[in-house]
């Protein structure tokens, strides 16, 4: 699953975090269904609302490069284990399937693995709109 490589990418991007307000740095690495990697960091804004999380930064890069399926997403942050916020869980859900792995990593050796159904049970998706 390449945890070590993905953690290194996420950790590198964590250092790039623009978080002058919260001082809370988050890094993310997405591996798409073709095996390509995308890094992301949180990018804050003085107006707060435009702030984007590391997960959505990396997923936006993946989608804009032409892939719409996350194989694995690894998240690391200033907490011991940094979990995605509700908005990011919804976005991860949009670009996941039942095999997508969500890794919450303290470091390359200590991590927890989930599926989207674990983090967003009874989530809202495209099937709900197709009435
Ligand atoms: Zn988020």
């Amino acid at each position: 699953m390449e945890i070590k490589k993905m953690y290194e990418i996420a950790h590198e991007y964590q250092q790039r975090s623009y978080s002058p307000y919260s001082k809370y740095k988050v890094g993310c690495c997405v591996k798409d269904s073709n095996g390509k990697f995308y890094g992301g960091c949180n990018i804050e804004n003085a107006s707060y609302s435009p702030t984007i999380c590391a997960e959505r930064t990396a997923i936006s890069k993946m989608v804009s490069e032409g892939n719409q399926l996350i194989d694995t997403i690894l998240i690391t942050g200033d907490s011991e284990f940094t979990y995605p916020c509700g908005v990011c869980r919804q976005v991860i859900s949009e670009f996941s399937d039942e095999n997508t792995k969500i890794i919450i990593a303290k470091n390359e050796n200590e991590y927890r693995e989930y599926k989207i159904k674990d983090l967003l049970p009874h989530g809202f998706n495209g099937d709900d709109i197709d009435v």
Side-chain angles (χ1 to χ4, degrees), residues 12-129:
E12 177 186 337
Y13 275 80
Q14 184 183 7
Q15 311 314 308
R16 301 179 187 179
S17 165
Y18 178 75
S19 46
Y21 308 106
S22 73
K23 318 273 193 244
Y24 188 85
K25 296 178 181 292
V26 182
C28 177
C29 178
V30 166
K31 184 173 109 177
D32 73 17
S33 59
N34 292 324
K36 188 173 175 186
F37 296 96
Y38 308 86
C41 62
N42 54 327
I43 304 169
E44 295 183 343
N45 191 282
S47 181
Y48 288 17
S49 182
T51 294
I52 184 167
C53 302
E55 300 92 315
R56 283 180 284 137
T57 301
I59 292 168
S60 296
K61 290 168 70 176
M62 178 191 81
V63 174
S64 64
E65 292 297 319
N67 193 296
Q68 299 179 350
L69 180 59
I70 302 167
D71 175 86
T72 306
I73 180 169
L74 181 145
I75 303 152
T76 192
D78 283 345
S79 301
E80 190 170 48
F81 292 97
T82 299
Y83 284 80
C85 74
V87 172
C88 287
R89 292 176 196 213
Q90 184 70 37
V91 173
I92 292 167
S93 172
E94 187 76 23
F95 300 106
S96 294
D97 66 14
E98 67 279 1
N99 298 314
T100 296
K101 293 170 281 294
I102 302 167
I103 308 294
I104 311 301
K106 177 179 180 182
N107 55 50
E108 65 187 57
N109 299 311
E110 296 172 87
Y111 55 87
R112 300 168 179 168
E113 181 177 335
Y114 301 92
K115 299 291 172 73
I116 191 61
K117 66 176 171 40
D118 303 319
L119 298 182
L120 191 67
H122 312 290
F124 184 84
N125 62 45
D127 295 337
D128 297 307
I129 300 170

